[in-house]
């Protein structure tokens, strides 16, 4: 039995525009996450509930971050969770910038002022094998009805540009393409409407999660896809169900800026941990 199962496990609840997270700090104590534990914590009726579970660990930089989906699968990237944790670490360490490591690679975060936090999510993956897709093709227009764009941001994305994002029934549309055979690792699905050269309305279905109020990596993917299509410039405002992010595709990567919220702290009880093991 682990120490946590004897004493309980502290957690933090955070969200970025309603995209919500449970965060475990594994720097000072042993934190072992299994698919079963992730699913148990992610259960909104019997656990805490989250879109992603994040674990902070010691790393080569200021910290290393790991991410889990609510279905117990792992993710290499989670933009809003990275931004929320970056805000927490910036305040904890009294710094204005951070170097974070993830399975996606090295990420940098800065205090953007006025309570905002910016994270560089790195360069997008634009080649089919890096997204990844199941076979060689042009990622700018996939051979799928609607001609979506495929983008890799450490996780795969499939972006449909539509006249009215509000009119798409994502509850059925999302899972249909999440499991499309062109995406061997499944995919996040976005529907996006271009409002102007620097303004997009976007909604998202996250793989392993479902319909979410916001998604940072999806926002980055949509901004890249729109710029590649010539629909917008490389600095855009993206309105999601949960609020607004600013995304800039710069030479050094895709920067995402927005608000964060540290909601509360709590402790997962020993009884809960034993039942989840």
């Amino acid at each position: 039995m682990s120490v946590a199962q004897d004493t309980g496990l502290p957690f933090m609840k955070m969200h970025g525009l309603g995209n919500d997270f449970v965060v475990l700090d594994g720097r000072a104590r042993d934190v072992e996450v299994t698919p079963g534990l992730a699913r148990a914590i992610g259960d909104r009726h019997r656990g805490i509930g989250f879109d992603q579970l994040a674990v902070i660990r010691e790393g080569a930089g200021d910290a290393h971050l790991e991410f889990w989906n609510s279905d117990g699968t792992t993710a290499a990237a989670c933009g809003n969770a990275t931004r929320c944790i970056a805000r927490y670490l910036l305040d904890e360490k009294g710094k204005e910038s951070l170097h974070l490591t993830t399975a996606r690679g090295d990420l940098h975060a800065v205090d953007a002022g006025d309570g905002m936090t910016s994270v560089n999510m790195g360069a997008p993956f634009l080649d089919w094998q890096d997204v990844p897709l199941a076979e060689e093709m042009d990622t700018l227009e996939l051979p799928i009805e609607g001609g979506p764009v495929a983008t890799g941001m450490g996780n795969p994305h499939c972006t449909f540009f539509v006249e009215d994002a509000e009119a798409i029934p994502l509850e059925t549309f999302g899972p249909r393409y999440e499991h499309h055979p062109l995406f061997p690792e499944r995919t996040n699905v976005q529907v996006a409407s271009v409002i102007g050269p620097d303004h997009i309305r976007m909604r998202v279905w996250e793989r392993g999660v479902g319909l979410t109020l916001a998604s940072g990596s999806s926002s980055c993917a949509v901004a890249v896809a729109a710029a590649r299509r010539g629909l917008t410039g490389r600095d855009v405002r993206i309105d999601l169900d949960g609020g607004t992010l600013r995304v800039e595709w710069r030479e050094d990567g895709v920067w995402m800026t927005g608000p964060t919220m540290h909601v509360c702290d709590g402790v997962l009880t020993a009884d809960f941990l034993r039942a989840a093991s």
Side-chain angles (χ1 to χ4, degrees):
M1 183 181 296
S2 69
V3 173
Q5 287 178 328
D6 283 332
T7 63
L9 180 62
F11 72 90
M12 296 177 279
K13 187 72 185 284
M14 302 179 179
H15 78 83
L17 304 180
N19 190 196
D20 67 325
F21 317 104
V22 168
V23 180
L24 307 177
D25 194 338
R27 293 173 297 171
R29 60 185 296 160
D30 180 34
V31 174
E32 180 183 356
V33 178
T34 64
L37 179 60
R39 288 191 295 268
I41 299 173
D43 188 320
R44 295 191 183 275
H45 299 287
R46 297 178 174 86
I48 304 300
F50 60 73
D51 288 330
Q52 273 82 30
L53 171 69
V55 184
I56 308 172
R57 300 195 188 277
E58 297 289 353
D62 290 291
H64 179 77
L65 307 184
E66 298 174 358
F67 306 107
W68 295 76
N69 296 317
S70 56
D71 68 352
T73 58
T74 58
C78 182
N80 278 330
T82 300
R83 201 160 40 79
C84 286
I85 295 169
R87 177 77 267 160
Y88 173 76
L89 294 175
L90 287 166
D91 293 341
E92 176 192 74
K93 296 174 180 292
K95 290 187 170 186
E96 294 184 355
S97 64
L98 294 171
H99 169 204
L100 304 172
T101 59
T102 68
R104 189 259 193 271
D106 288 17
L107 305 179
H108 295 274
V110 299
D111 184 344
D114 296 325
M116 299 290 188
T117 306
S118 295
V119 172
N120 182 355
M121 295 297 293
F125 298 124
L126 307 179
D127 293 331
W128 70 273
Q129 67 269 29
D130 297 326
V131 172
L133 298 176
E135 56 188 89
E136 184 175 359
M137 65 189 66
D138 182 2
T139 59
L140 194 55
E141 187 168 352
L142 300 183
I144 297 174
E145 183 180 1
V149 181
T151 310
M153 289 300 308
N155 48 9
H157 298 270
C158 182
T159 304
F160 292 82
F161 289 99
V162 299
E163 183 174 345
D164 182 4
E166 306 283 351
I168 304 298
L170 265 184
E171 294 83 355
T172 54
F173 187 89
R176 182 192 317 162
Y177 294 103
E178 175 188 355
H179 298 277
H180 194 283
L182 282 183
F183 292 91
E185 297 179 5
R186 298 182 297 164
T187 185
N188 298 281
V189 181
Q190 304 92 28
V191 292
S193 303
V194 177
I195 298 173
D198 60 355
H199 192 185
I200 297 172
R201 170 69 171 108
M202 185 264 277
R203 299 174 64 224
V204 58
W205 176 274
E206 279 198 276
R207 65 170 183 170
V209 177
L211 188 64
T212 59
L213 294 177
S215 169
S217 61
S218 288
S219 298
C220 293
V222 166
V224 168
R228 291 180 69 204
R229 281 271 179 94
L231 301 173
T232 67
R234 292 165 69 110
D235 183 351
V236 294
R237 164 188 169 182
I238 298 185
D239 293 336
L240 302 111
D241 289 345
T244 299
L245 290 173
R246 179 184 177 189
V247 180
E248 298 176 82
W249 185 10
R250 305 178 191 170
E251 291 300 317
D252 64 344
V254 185
W255 285 84
M256 172 188 58
T257 303
T260 63
M261 178 59 66
H262 183 159
V263 178
C264 65
D265 298 331
V267 178
L268 297 167
T269 69
D271 284 346
F272 175 84
L273 296 170
R274 280 191 289 269
S277 64

